[in-house]
Amino acid sequence: MGENRLGVAATLRALNEALGRPVALWVKESGARNLRHRDFLAPRAALSAAFPGGQVGRGGVGGPRPRPPEAVSAVSSLQGPAVLPLRVCRQTPAGLAVQVRRPEAFQRLLGALPGPAPAAAGARTGCVVLHCPALRSPAALQPRHLRSVLLADHLAQLLRAQGVDVRLVPALSEERSWDVLRQLRIYWPSGGSSLTDAVSALKAALGRCSCAASCEQGPGTAKGVICKVHLKSFVEQQGLLGYDPNLDVLLVTEGTLQSLAELQEAVLQCPVSDPMAPPASHFPSSSCCSIVHVVNCEEEFQQQQLDVLWRILDPGAHTAFQKHLVCGPVKVTNPSSPIGADQYFQLRKRQMYEASVMKYGELAQDEAWTEVIDILTVAAIRFEMLSTAHRSQITLDLENNSISTKGTKSGAFVMYNCARLATLFNAFQQAVEQGTYPPLPPASELNFSCLREEGEWLLLFNYLLPFPEVLQQAAQLPPPSKGIRITANTETVCKFLIQLSMDFSSYYNRVHILGEPFPHLFDQMFARLQLLGAVRDVFHSALATLHLPPLSQI
């Protein structure tokens, strides 16, 4: 994010500093009701706890803190390149309330940039290997596998948007069909280089390993076992935390070593651009490579075994950066039989087709709608899988038609509102070509003081302003507080898009954008089009992290 772009975080920091407290006293309002009166609030209870004597702010050395009137004045005069222009700060029964100079905020956000304000790409900030063991499953993929694959795919896009180099593992085998991944617009690498030398090196390391022992081939021994490795003793010796206490002996096979060799190969491909760079707290530093195992809860134990084995055989720095991002269970209600990922996709596609025919009639049966139905199906499944926190259970109701074009919390609803914006701008362009309206003037010539409808400020303040920070937060991989599990905010983008769609839909249903072609109405229409053009760009940028193309019709 550009240093001079207005931001929520920068404004909150400045507000807290104005009160002489590094702690977070201020909150950003988001509800329409409160935004009618204030944009930021320092709640009275928080102020009372921080300043028991009733004095607020920073005094001189050894001097008293200024009284509330002085603090109000200090807050009102705040300035900064990324700080929102503040109009007034006043004491209210709820606490200290601040309002923004809204016309100026509209001008600075919508007038300075010709297009969207995406998250900062900047210099590359390191490398992450995303490992999805579900793609090694010899059996057909099931919905629980899809959840971890979709999450890894989305996380890869979020990290790349922040300038992080991402490697996806394992490469898809060319010996089986991956149609369901292609249909879901999951772009995962396939093939891969020969790993023979790497596997041989790992076998040699096994021969030198004090934790490994030969495994006699008996009637109960699995085929292809090379040796057995005592994991538990290594975990105890190293004082490793967060591992399952039942980790004990692992029977190592050729397939086990293949998996490790592929992970090693991915790590070797990661660029190391600045060996002296300090490690970051939420993004990997450019001096190391982080490995994130994205697993469903049923695979977690097996992945912990692989994790410890890798630490034993390759005690390099990179193996210490392994993290486990665990997905909760996927429960399928009342299945007549176990359902595979392919069947799940086809069922949702049929339901989406039926819902579209019910809403749009014969129009939805036209061949041109085939691609629309496909994209709506992908959106429905991605939102179904990703709008819930990754550690929580998902319940799929396959008996009832839970796919709808009307529900406000579905992927189809988001795509519908994105298409409404496309229709709006297509209609405007046609009207310009027919001479009904003049072309949209440059943003610097627009009069943003015309934007007085509360829905307009809601769209800017809750969505356009914080969008880059939303993408940054969604891509953060904070280190585990204890153990090896991490929690990521992978549901953030879906929830953001759902809420944006609801507020945009409410505004669009209430406000007529393309009015009568009278010159005295053009200022307001042009300002609204500039605002909605920025909203459209946010839709497109957010959907890109889900590999969803915007729809031009629906």
Side-chain angles (χ1 to χ4, degrees):
M1 181 169 50
E3 290 183 4
N4 293 328
R5 186 186 188 276
L6 297 179
V8 174
T11 304
L12 287 172
R13 278 196 302 272
L15 287 169
N16 286 317
E17 289 170 3
L19 297 186
R21 282 289 188 269
V23 296
L25 293 177
W26 292 86
V27 294
K28 172 189 172 295
E29 296 288 5
S30 58
R33 183 175 180 180
N34 286 339
L35 286 174
R36 292 170 191 156
H37 313 290
R38 60 183 183 249
D39 298 310
F40 295 95
L41 176 72
R44 181 167 294 279
L47 289 172
S48 298
F51 307 104
Q55 294 175 326
V56 181
R58 185 187 290 114
V61 177
R65 296 183 181 277
R67 294 287 178 179
E70 298 172 54
V72 167
S73 176
V75 168
S76 299
S77 60
L78 278 178
Q79 292 183 350
V83 177
L84 282 160
L86 305 183
R87 183 172 70 86
V88 65
C89 175
R90 62 182 184 275
Q91 296 184 67
T92 70
L96 284 179
V98 165
Q99 277 192 313
V100 173
R101 294 202 299 270
R102 295 182 176 183
E104 186 178 339
F106 275 117
Q107 179 67 48
R108 288 178 61 181
L109 267 171
L110 302 178
L113 298 172
R124 305 192 82 81
T125 57
C127 180
V128 172
V129 173
L130 293 179
H131 175 221
C132 199
L135 293 174
R136 286 200 179 92
S137 172
L141 293 180
Q142 296 179 10
R144 62 184 171 87
H145 297 126
L146 270 190
R147 184 181 191 184
S148 57
V149 177
L150 284 167
L151 190 145
D153 178 72
H154 178 45
L155 186 55
Q157 288 294 93
L158 290 167
L159 288 167
R160 286 167 181 150
Q162 300 302 319
V164 179
D165 194 278
V166 179
R167 296 285 185 269
L168 297 174
V169 178
L172 299 180
S173 167
E174 297 177 351
E175 299 174 359
R176 59 184 290 188
S177 171
W178 298 100
D179 283 349
V180 70
L181 300 190
R182 177 182 53 78
Q183 291 167 330
L184 285 168
R185 307 179 72 85
I186 296 172
Y187 304 108
W188 204 274
S190 60
S193 57
S194 172
L195 300 172
T196 305
D197 292 344
V199 170
S200 298
L202 289 169
K203 285 181 179 177
L206 271 175
R208 300 187 298 269
C209 177
S210 60
C211 298
S214 60
C215 187
E216 296 181 4
Q217 297 292 328
T221 307
K223 185 179 179 180
V225 173
I226 298 172
C227 68
K228 59 184 178 181
V229 177
H230 295 273
L231 306 178
K232 192 168 188 176
S233 58
F234 178 82
V235 170
E236 292 172 348
Q237 289 169 10
Q238 299 295 316
L240 300 177
L241 300 175
Y243 289 89
D244 193 301
N246 294 313
L247 282 182
D248 193 2
V249 175
L250 171 65
L251 300 180
V252 179
T253 66
E254 192 85 19
T256 309
L257 298 183
Q258 281 280 136
S259 299
L260 287 184
E262 192 167 9
L263 281 166
Q264 282 186 322
E265 181 72 15
V267 169
L268 291 173
Q269 291 175 358
C270 283
V272 179
S273 57
D274 184 5
M276 301 302 293
S281 59
H282 295 302
F283 298 105
S285 76
S286 56
S287 62
C288 67
C289 178
S290 290
I291 299 101
V292 179
H293 305 292
V294 184
V295 298
N296 64 60
C297 54
E298 297 178 25
E299 298 166 340
E300 184 180 11
F301 183 80
Q302 289 78 11
Q303 188 51 51
Q304 286 189 18
Q305 291 178 315
L306 197 67
D307 172 319
V308 176
L309 179 63
W310 197 12
R311 291 174 188 264
I312 292 171
L313 299 182
D314 184 5
H318 53 270
T319 58
F321 284 93
Q322 295 183 80
K323 305 170 184 176
H324 294 243
L325 196 156
V326 183
C327 298
V330 177
K331 180 182 178 183
V332 180
T333 59
N334 303 318
S336 54
S337 60
I339 185 168
D342 293 280
Q343 295 168 292
Y344 168 58
F345 178 85
Q346 294 303 326
L347 174 64
R348 288 293 187 239
K349 183 176 180 178
R350 177 175 58 79
Q351 291 172 338
M352 183 58 69
Y353 172 77
E354 292 171 352
S356 299
V357 169
M358 187 175 297
K359 182 170 183 178
Y360 301 105
E362 294 183 2
L363 180 66
Q365 300 179 50
D366 189 272
E367 285 187 10
W369 268 68
T370 301
E371 184 180 4
V372 173
I373 298 296
D374 286 343
I375 293 173
L376 289 175
T377 303
V378 175
I381 290 175
R382 281 185 175 265
F383 275 75
E384 192 169 34
M385 289 285 186
L386 296 174
S387 59
T388 300
H390 68 81
R391 55 199 173 277
S392 301
Q393 176 177 292
I394 291 175
T395 301
L396 303 179
D397 185 355
L398 302 183
E399 279 202 336
N400 300 318
N401 188 351
S402 56
I403 293 293
S404 171
T405 58
K406 297 179 180 179
T408 57
K409 296 187 177 180
S410 69
F413 178 70
V414 171
M415 301 306 291
Y416 167 68
N417 282 285
C418 186
R420 292 171 87 182
L421 279 164
T423 301
L424 168 68
F425 282 95
N426 287 338
F428 173 70
Q429 187 57 39
Q430 290 174 8
V432 170
E433 292 169 0
Q434 294 166 3
T436 306
Y437 302 128
L440 185 65
S444 58
E445 299 177 11
L446 298 179
N447 179 12
F448 291 107
S449 63
C450 296
L451 299 178
R452 293 184 291 269
E453 216 277 341
E454 70 175 27
E456 291 156 357
W457 180 246
L458 202 69
L459 290 172
L460 182 124
F461 195 59
N462 284 350
Y463 304 104
L464 302 187
L465 176 67
F467 178 58
E469 294 167 34
V470 167
L471 290 185
Q472 287 180 347
Q473 291 163 8
Q476 285 180 355
L477 295 173
S481 56
K482 183 179 180 182
I484 54 175
R485 275 194 177 200
I486 61 170
T487 298
N489 300 315
T490 50
E491 74 280 10
T492 299
V493 171
C494 285
K495 288 186 172 181
F496 174 87
L497 280 168
I498 289 169
Q499 196 60 50
L500 170 58
S501 298
M502 293 171 65
D503 285 338
F504 163 71
S505 181
S506 174
Y507 170 74
Y508 194 71
N509 291 338
R510 192 172 62 250
V511 176
H512 191 54
I513 307 298
L514 301 182
E516 295 295 329
F518 299 137
H520 69 281
L521 299 178
F522 287 164
D523 277 0
Q524 186 177 59
M525 182 181 73
F526 289 151
R528 284 174 170 171
L529 284 170
Q530 185 72 14
L531 169 67
L532 294 182
V535 170
R536 175 192 57 188
D537 292 337
V538 165
F539 265 111
H540 291 186
S541 297
L543 288 172
T545 69
L546 296 160
H547 278 139
L548 287 170
L551 289 175
S552 58
Q553 64 167 7
I554 191 169

